[in-house]
Amino acid sequence: MNTSFDLNKILRPHIITLAPYSSARDEYTGHVGIFLDANENPYGSVTGENYNRYPDPYQAEIKQKLSPIKQVSPDRIFLGNGSDEPIDLLTRATCTPGHDHVIILPPTYGMYEVSASIHDVKIDKVSLTDDYHIDTEAVLNAVTPSTKIIWICSPNNPTGNVMQSDAIQTILENFSGLVVVDEAYIDFTDEPSWIRHLDKYPNLVVLQTFSKAWGLAGIRVGMCFASPELIRILNKIKPPYNISLPAQQALLEGLNGIEKKDKMVADILEQRDVLTGQLQALPIVVKIHPTDANFLLVQFEDAKAVMDYLIRETIIVRDRSRVHLCEGCLRITVGTKEENEVLIESLKKFQPQNVIV
């Protein structure tokens, strides 16, 4: 338990007293009536769909439906425009530009650094170890009085591995700022979510997404789980209607598809094992890093040549060879059985002379 954490001490002072924008749907939350309060078009929309009314700014129906799925109370849930929105809001709420710091653990998801840079927040980088785990002592030694957030991606992107739980626990117990555990790939591992520890650690924030396992990347909805006090701050500083009506409708329908989601995850995990075995048999592959995600980080003898070749074959993977500790590596998302077979057959045909110099 971290008894030294005080949310008000890490928030920017003006955020605490900020008066939020009050939308029409804040002032009247009913669903029945003649709505003449929000300057909407009363005749409908040009699409024929009922998009002429503003959506629920706090997505109450979705949170009620999501609550038992994630086993967390609705007042601990924030929904954003992808996970990128809570990443941005957490930075804005806590970090004074030109003064405060965040800690990231490269190699890791790039938006933590981008968000900090946008807000002129200093970024302190503490490298993962050579086997992609947290150097706990180095992280805590990097903390300064101006450090507001430590970002931890688990399973990590681009390496795919789960971070050791004892390291995260130690950081939570010894850091008086926010510890954000980004679980975008949590559905692809047997490791339990850190959501279960929200009551124990008031400085814990957990991010998840509907973009991966749920197959809803196109509607752009991310989840943030935290203390009710921090959720209220995020709701106060977010744009009034941050989740569109079509996205909310799609998500409400999608939450009925848990069995389909679980089946897709099982199929991906099965294909991940098959693809791993097929890649290991290729002489151009040096190493496949252990993964708990829906992708593989694969080291090749000549990653650039393989990348260029695959692009010409219209097979698109992600070049991570210039990323810290990922030298010579390509990140390959696990596709369908048919897509993976095309990838493997193409790689079998790869020869150095395929490279255009």
Side-chain angles (χ1 to χ4, degrees):
M1 186 74 176
N2 189 335
T3 57
S4 65
F5 177 75
D6 183 345
L7 179 60
N8 286 336
K9 287 183 178 179
I10 69 161
L11 291 173
R12 296 167 68 185
H14 75 281
I15 294 293
I16 299 173
T17 59
L18 176 73
Y21 174 78
S22 179
S23 73
R25 295 292 78 84
D26 282 305
E27 296 168 13
Y28 177 73
T29 58
H31 300 286
V32 178
I34 297 174
F35 291 91
L36 305 177
D37 58 345
N39 301 335
E40 300 155 326
N41 186 329
Y43 294 103
S45 75
V46 294
T47 67
E49 301 289 339
N50 293 324
Y51 295 155
N52 57 313
R53 300 298 182 185
Y54 287 109
D56 175 3
Y58 304 112
Q59 310 92 33
E61 187 176 358
I62 295 172
K63 291 175 183 176
Q64 287 293 335
K65 200 168 184 177
L66 185 61
S67 173
I69 296 173
K70 296 297 180 180
Q71 297 185 330
V72 62
S73 60
D75 63 350
R76 289 181 177 269
I77 303 173
F78 175 86
L79 298 179
N81 182 359
S83 296
D84 298 329
E85 184 174 26
I87 289 170
D88 177 77
L89 293 176
L90 289 166
T91 304
R92 276 197 279 163
T94 61
C95 295
T96 300
H99 179 268
D100 287 327
H101 296 212
V102 298
I103 292 176
I104 66 172
L105 313 179
T108 192
Y109 180 48
M111 277 307 297
Y112 315 140
E113 182 171 358
V114 170
S115 180
S117 297
I118 288 170
H119 296 294
D120 189 24
V121 172
K122 182 172 173 53
I123 303 150
D124 296 317
K125 299 181 181 181
V126 179
S127 174
L128 296 177
T129 61
D130 289 343
D131 59 351
Y132 301 145
H133 285 295
I134 299 171
D135 185 338
T136 312
E137 183 178 357
V139 170
L140 292 176
N141 285 340
V143 171
T144 75
S146 298
T147 304
K148 294 297 185 69
I149 303 175
I150 297 175
W151 298 98
I152 300 173
C153 192
S154 182
N156 189 41
N157 177 14
T159 63
N161 62 299
V162 171
M163 296 296 145
Q164 64 270 42
S165 60
D166 58 339
I168 297 175
Q169 180 178 332
T170 298
I171 293 169
L172 280 164
E173 292 175 351
N174 293 276
F175 175 55
S176 58
L178 295 180
V179 179
V180 184
V181 181
D182 187 344
E183 297 181 338
Y185 301 95
I186 192 66
D187 296 279
F188 304 103
T189 177
D190 293 331
E191 290 294 318
S193 169
W194 278 86
I195 289 175
R196 72 193 192 282
H197 293 305
L198 286 172
D199 284 331
K200 185 176 181 180
Y201 299 109
N203 57 331
L204 172 63
V205 179
V206 179
L207 301 181
Q208 292 186 6
T209 184
F210 289 102
S211 295
K212 313 299 181 184
W214 292 84
L216 294 171
I219 70 170
R220 305 306 303 130
V221 180
M223 295 166 273
C224 176
F225 306 93
S227 67
E229 294 77 16
L230 182 54
I231 295 299
R232 284 195 291 269
I233 292 295
L234 298 182
N235 281 328
K236 183 162 72 167
I237 66 176
K238 75 175 183 69
Y241 305 107
N242 60 324
I243 307 293
S244 73
L245 181 59
Q248 292 194 37
Q249 292 172 337
L251 186 51
L252 279 170
E253 180 182 351
L255 288 174
N256 294 324
I258 296 177
E259 291 184 1
K260 183 175 182 179
K261 184 265 291 184
D262 291 343
K263 175 63 166 59
M264 291 190 294
V265 168
D267 290 343
I268 289 170
L269 294 180
E270 180 183 359
Q271 286 303 309
R272 186 179 75 185
D273 291 341
V274 172
L275 183 59
T276 298
Q278 293 172 328
L279 286 167
Q280 286 173 333
L282 298 177
I284 60 173
V285 172
V286 176
K287 180 177 182 178
I288 301 174
H289 293 277
T291 184
D292 288 282
N294 66 334
F295 60 84
L296 302 173
L297 187 68
V298 184
Q299 184 180 358
F300 289 88
E301 290 181 348
D302 189 341
K304 184 180 186 307
V306 173
M307 181 74 185
D308 292 343
Y309 166 73
L310 288 176
I311 288 175
R312 294 197 303 277
E313 295 292 308
T314 64
I315 299 172
I316 314 305
V317 299
R318 194 79 186 270
D319 185 358
R320 303 282 80 184
S321 61
R322 293 180 296 276
V323 173
H324 175 63
L325 295 182
C326 299
E327 292 78 9
C329 291
L330 303 180
R331 194 190 71 189
I332 302 174
T333 304
V334 178
T336 64
K337 180 177 184 291
E338 294 74 20
E339 290 171 334
N340 297 335
E341 288 173 350
V342 171
L343 168 68
I344 293 298
E345 289 306 309
S346 294
L347 288 174
K348 286 179 178 178
K349 298 174 185 176
F350 171 79
Q351 298 293 333
Q353 60 264 31
N354 292 132
V355 181
I356 297 175
V357 181

